[in-house]
Every structure is written in structure tokens, then in C-alpha cells.
Amino acid sequence: MTDAPGEAASPADVHRPEPSLSGVDLARVALRAAKQQARERGEQVRQKRESKRRGLRSGARADGRDPVPLGAAMRQLIVERGWEAPAAVGGVMGRWPQIVGPEIAAHCVPEHYAEEARELSVRCDSTAWATQLRLLAPQLVARLNTELGHGAVKLIKVHGPAGPPRRYGRLRAPGSRGPGDTWG
């Protein structure tokens, strides 16, 4: 050991035990040092093995190449691609009768979800049901947002029944829209 305060210790001084330690204390210090060296060597060996076999085989521990259950793989794919909202809305379209009730579901069907505008388009089989659904739209938006998460649906666009298809026959004038020319 050195006497001067700013002087560095020599390598021989570092390994020399302090005179106040007894035999048991010396053994504990030596054991602690040996354990630390073993940990460091073990870490170095592990890193060397990892670098050698990187990409060759899976081994006993789990990695990205191991098989996973289908449900977990689908959840991971949905999260990676950012499909959480469309997948949730797709689930709502499948559970429409449970969400809105059997009476409304018998007359109104969800058709399309616009993700950017967060609008759900619903088609009704009569104008009376379309009017009724327009009145219930704020409550349905609230119920859908509790199912999907806040702000998933901002607006429900309600469409009435589609008109009859245009019929073309021998007695039609070119460019005519049929009865739509005069009414409707």
C-alpha cells in the first residue's frame, strides 16, 4: 500500500490481503472474488456461443421461430399491421343482433365501416325503420363505442331501402330513367 494520497497502488498491493482480516474472513473474500470471476467467464462463454449459433437452430429456449397457437399469431398480426379498429368493427358486424337487439337486427344490417371517417353505414329494409334508427343513432354510437373502445364510431349513416333495379325493355326511350323522371 502507498502512503501518498495521490499515488496509485501497485498490482502487488491490490492482491495483498489486509492485515486485520482473519482466516474465515479471508476465505469469504476469496470466495466472493472467485464467484465474480466465474460469473464474468460464464457470461463471456454464453455470448460466444450465442454469436456462433445465431440463426442456426432454435435450441431449448423459445425464440421467434417456434410455433405459436393460431389465436396468438392472429393477435400478433393484427397488432403489427395496425388492424385493431377494423378487426373490432368486423366483430361487431358479426355480433350485430347481440349489440342492437333482435328486433332492430331483423330490419337493419350494417354494410360498411369507413375507418378514416369512423362512420358505420347501416341499410334498413323500410323507410320507417330508417327513420327509427336515425332517432336511435346517438344511443347506438354510445353502445358501439363501449364495445369497441372510445371514438371507434363517430357517426352512423342510415340508408333506406334501395330502389327497384332499372328495367330496360322494348318500350323504353333512350336516356329515360323510367318512373324516376317524373317522381322519386
Side-chain angles (χ1 to χ4, degrees):
M1 295 256 163
T2 61
D3 293 331
E7 229 174 280
S10 68
D13 291 337
V14 173
H15 294 294
R16 219 180 280 157
E18 294 197 23
S20 64
L21 297 177
S22 66
V24 174
D25 293 331
L26 286 174
R28 285 185 186 138
V29 169
L31 179 63
R32 216 176 292 134
K35 284 182 178 180
Q36 181 62 30
Q37 288 175 353
R39 271 191 226 108
E40 290 171 1
R41 269 185 282 144
E43 184 65 25
Q44 290 171 353
V45 169
R46 189 189 64 76
Q47 287 176 353
K48 189 174 180 181
R49 282 187 192 152
E50 292 270 333
S51 66
K52 278 185 180 180
R53 72 173 179 165
R54 190 169 296 167
L56 293 178
R57 61 185 174 92
S58 174
R61 292 181 181 87
D63 66 2
R65 297 172 291 156
D66 289 339
V68 293
L70 182 62
M74 292 301 293
R75 279 189 297 277
Q76 181 180 358
L77 180 68
I78 287 171
V79 168
E80 285 174 359
R81 302 284 170 102
W83 294 340
E84 291 94 351
V89 170
V92 164
M93 290 189 180
R95 295 181 299 127
W96 182 252
Q98 290 87 16
I99 293 172
V100 299
E103 189 176 3
I104 295 174
H107 299 281
C108 304
V109 179
E111 284 188 334
H112 177 71
Y113 176 71
E115 186 176 359
E116 297 81 29
R118 297 183 182 193
E119 295 177 349
L120 181 66
S121 297
V122 178
R123 172 83 52 197
C124 297
D125 62 1
S126 70
T127 55
W129 274 103
T131 303
Q132 184 67 25
L133 197 65
R134 283 186 190 102
L135 294 172
L136 292 174
Q139 291 141 357
L140 286 177
V141 167
R143 191 178 303 168
L144 288 169
N145 283 329
T146 59
E147 292 281 330
L148 301 174
H150 182 68
V153 177
K154 290 185 178 179
L155 179 69
I156 294 181
K157 282 191 171 182
V158 181
H159 303 284
R166 293 187 187 162
R167 288 182 237 146
Y168 299 98
R170 357 176 263 142
L171 299 178
R172 298 276 176 194
S176 168
R177 295 188 333 186
D181 283 344
T182 56
W183 55 275

